[in-house]
Amino acid sequence: MGVLSRPEEVAALVRLKVAAGRIRRQIPPEAHWAFAYDMLQRVSRSFALVIQQLGPELRNAVCVFYLVLRALDTVEDDTGIPNEVKLPILRDFYRHIYNPDWLFSCGANDYRVLMDNFRQVSTAFLELGEGYQKAIEEITRRMGEGMAKFICMEVQTIDDYDEYCHYVAGLVGYGLSRLFHATGTEDLAPDHLSNSMGLFLQKTNIIRDYLEDINEIPKCRMFWPREIWSKYVDKLEDLKYEENSEKAVQCLNDMVTNALIHAHDCLQYMSALKDNSNFRFCAIPQIMAIGTCAICYNNVKVFRGVVKMRRGLTARIIDETKSISDVYSAFYEFSSLLESKIDDNDPNAALTRKRVDAIKKTCKSSGLLKRRGYDLEKSKYRMPMLIMIVLLLAAIILGVLYGK
């Protein structure tokens, strides 16, 4: 019932459900498209929500693009595949997307379903326009080569970390910029800005997913750079032990501070977007990323369990992000929340403040700030039971009406 203590989040959740129902009715009827959008929902609920911001043609291209890269990532992540098998698949994956008869079973749960039915994704890919196909092929080829490189090496330095994140996420930024350009709705963004859009999201995910990744079976694959974590512990897995909590949090803060360096480029990229649907598609994940950085910063729970933005706040961000003013306002507020958590005794406190101040200065100088009142804490009050019941009934009724 916690979400009901924030009526603005309840309203956003209802509107999100209504919008999702509307989009579902626009999915092409063919079996391969039904599979693609169902699989998108299963492997990334958050991305499935964000992709709703795009128009039908671009939405189909981005859906296929995401599933192709998710399949490639599934091959990379499956630590049970011998390297002599895995490396050629990663390097040749861009060719396999043209072949509906290609099959390689790996991964687990929904990811195995994706791999076992990859012919459906290939069929959808082959229906895209040539410009979309070439953009997806190019990024898949480059990403596969980069993944193959890092299968055989550890992320030692911050430069290695940036390079790895470029291959698995910066190139996604390149690809999306090319897809936007192919529609004729956007100018082609500079590569360094597209790269930063991917790096900020990827680094946030790497930070947030520490515990899940370190506990992965049969063996973990970690991307926290040794150059950072070795300042605090002897082994990366030592960060999860309670006796190392102080050092773990300091290391975490170092990682978040590193991620914040990309925020300025992200703001510059988003401010140049012309099409509102493209803008919302890009802006919502970036706001989620700065919010997640604020949640993770100085938070030992990253090493104890799952740390993520609550559902109601996510819905509110999706609902309210409509203009660059909303982006500046969200970045300013979440940066301020992160700033309030800085401990002066933290080894990186001064650098963290400097990067937060730079973000806030950029946002403030836009002259477009407005108060959103975002918060990361649990509510300190409860709504009267009658109001809770009314809101719940409204949500149920609207969900039923729009689901038909």
Side-chain angles (χ1 to χ4, degrees):
M1 300 295 282
V3 69
L4 293 175
S5 61
R6 300 179 176 87
E8 71 282 359
E9 293 185 7
V10 176
L13 282 165
V14 172
R15 286 192 288 270
L16 191 61
K17 184 174 180 60
V18 169
R22 186 170 60 248
I23 294 297
R24 276 196 298 271
R25 293 192 291 275
Q26 297 176 15
I27 294 172
E30 294 84 1
H32 48 279
W33 286 111
F35 173 83
Y37 279 98
D38 177 65
M39 188 52 54
L40 184 67
Q41 176 77 16
R42 291 164 68 176
V43 300
S44 180
R45 188 178 299 272
S46 59
F47 191 80
L49 292 173
V50 172
I51 201 175
Q52 295 172 14
Q53 314 310 316
L54 299 174
E57 180 182 326
L58 185 55
R59 185 167 65 235
N60 287 346
V62 173
C63 175
V64 171
F65 184 40
Y66 183 89
L67 291 176
V68 166
L69 299 187
R70 177 57 72 183
L72 179 63
D73 187 61
T74 299
V75 176
E76 183 209 22
D77 282 348
D78 192 331
T79 53
I81 305 172
N83 284 351
E84 61 269 23
V85 175
K86 180 182 291 188
L87 293 175
I89 294 175
L90 293 175
R91 294 188 179 112
D92 291 340
F93 204 88
Y94 72 99
R95 294 191 177 101
H96 299 319
I97 60 179
Y98 285 95
N99 181 10
D101 295 325
W102 181 79
L103 174 66
F104 183 77
S105 186
C106 64
N109 304 320
D110 288 332
Y111 301 101
R112 182 171 288 273
V113 175
L114 171 62
M115 296 304 297
D116 288 346
N117 295 274
F118 193 73
R119 66 185 182 281
Q120 304 278 19
V121 179
S122 292
T123 302
F125 170 79
L126 293 171
E127 290 186 0
L128 300 177
E130 185 179 1
Y132 295 134
Q133 288 182 1
K134 291 302 180 185
I136 294 171
E137 176 191 341
E138 178 199 358
I139 299 306
T140 305
R141 177 184 61 78
R142 293 170 67 180
M143 186 178 292
E145 290 174 354
M147 286 178 168
K149 175 179 178 178
F150 276 90
I151 288 293
C152 303
M153 64 178 285
E154 181 185 352
V155 177
Q156 294 277 355
T157 67
I158 292 173
D159 284 344
D160 291 341
Y161 182 44
D162 286 344
E163 184 181 6
Y164 172 76
C165 290
H166 163 73
Y167 285 129
V168 300
L171 286 174
V172 178
Y174 284 21
L176 289 172
S177 293
R178 283 156 175 71
L179 292 178
F180 293 158
H181 185 61
T183 67
T185 57
E186 306 289 351
D187 297 328
L188 185 60
D191 281 349
H192 75 280
L193 297 184
S194 300
N195 190 56
S196 283
M197 289 284 284
L199 262 63
F200 190 44
L201 299 182
Q202 182 67 18
K203 288 185 176 183
T204 300
N205 290 339
I206 286 173
I207 292 165
R208 182 199 60 200
D209 293 341
Y210 166 86
L211 191 63
E212 178 185 343
D213 291 343
I214 202 75
N215 290 332
E216 189 174 339
I217 295 172
K219 59 182 178 180
C220 71
R221 289 195 66 221
M222 294 296 295
F223 302 100
W224 287 40
R226 179 182 290 270
E227 184 178 342
I228 290 180
W229 63 256
S230 63
K231 293 186 285 184
Y232 306 96
V233 288
D234 294 327
K235 295 183 292 184
L236 183 54
E237 58 264 33
D238 291 345
L239 294 172
K240 68 180 180 179
Y241 300 125
E242 196 165 341
E243 61 267 26
N244 297 322
S245 293
E246 182 179 352
K247 290 294 184 181
V249 169
Q250 290 175 354
C251 182
L252 169 65
N253 293 347
D254 203 338
M255 290 287 290
V256 172
T257 302
N258 172 272
L260 293 178
I261 200 169
H262 303 291
H264 181 268
D265 280 354
C266 294
L267 291 169
Q268 187 176 343
Y269 180 101
M270 290 183 282
S271 68
L273 292 171
K274 302 173 183 177
D275 182 86
N276 189 252
S277 62
N278 296 345
F279 168 79
R280 281 172 52 78
F281 172 77
C282 292
I284 291 166
Q286 297 296 330
I287 293 174
M288 297 287 292
I290 190 69
T292 300
C293 284
I295 294 170
C296 290
Y297 185 83
N298 214 39
N299 188 352
V300 73
K301 291 179 181 178
V302 170
F303 304 101
R304 305 287 181 264
V306 178
V307 174
K308 61 181 181 179
M309 196 172 288
R310 63 181 182 271
R311 236 178 115 212
L313 181 55
T314 298
R316 192 177 162 202
I317 288 169
I318 293 172
D319 186 51
E320 294 179 353
T321 303
K322 295 180 171 63
S323 68
I324 191 64
S325 172
D326 299 316
V327 171
Y328 286 134
S329 300
F331 266 67
Y332 187 91
E333 289 198 12
F334 284 127
S335 296
S336 298
L337 288 168
L338 190 157
E339 184 179 34
S340 71
K341 299 168 69 177
I342 297 175
D343 182 347
D344 288 335
N345 294 318
D346 186 89
N348 293 283
L351 182 57
T352 309
R353 287 189 192 281
K354 180 180 178 181
R355 290 188 177 164
V356 168
D357 286 345
I359 296 170
K360 291 174 67 177
K361 183 178 179 181
T362 298
C363 297
K364 197 170 184 178
S365 65
S366 71
L368 298 172
L369 290 185
K370 51 190 175 185
R371 191 178 187 281
R372 283 298 187 197
Y374 293 140
D375 73 276
L376 305 174
E377 306 299 329
K378 293 183 177 180
S379 294
K380 298 180 180 178
Y381 64 95
R382 296 292 182 201
M383 293 175 61
M385 183 59 69
L386 179 60
I387 298 178
M388 291 186 194
I389 293 171
V390 170
L391 288 170
L392 268 178
L393 287 173
I396 293 168
I397 291 168
L398 283 171
V400 171
L401 288 174
Y402 283 91
K404 292 182 179 179

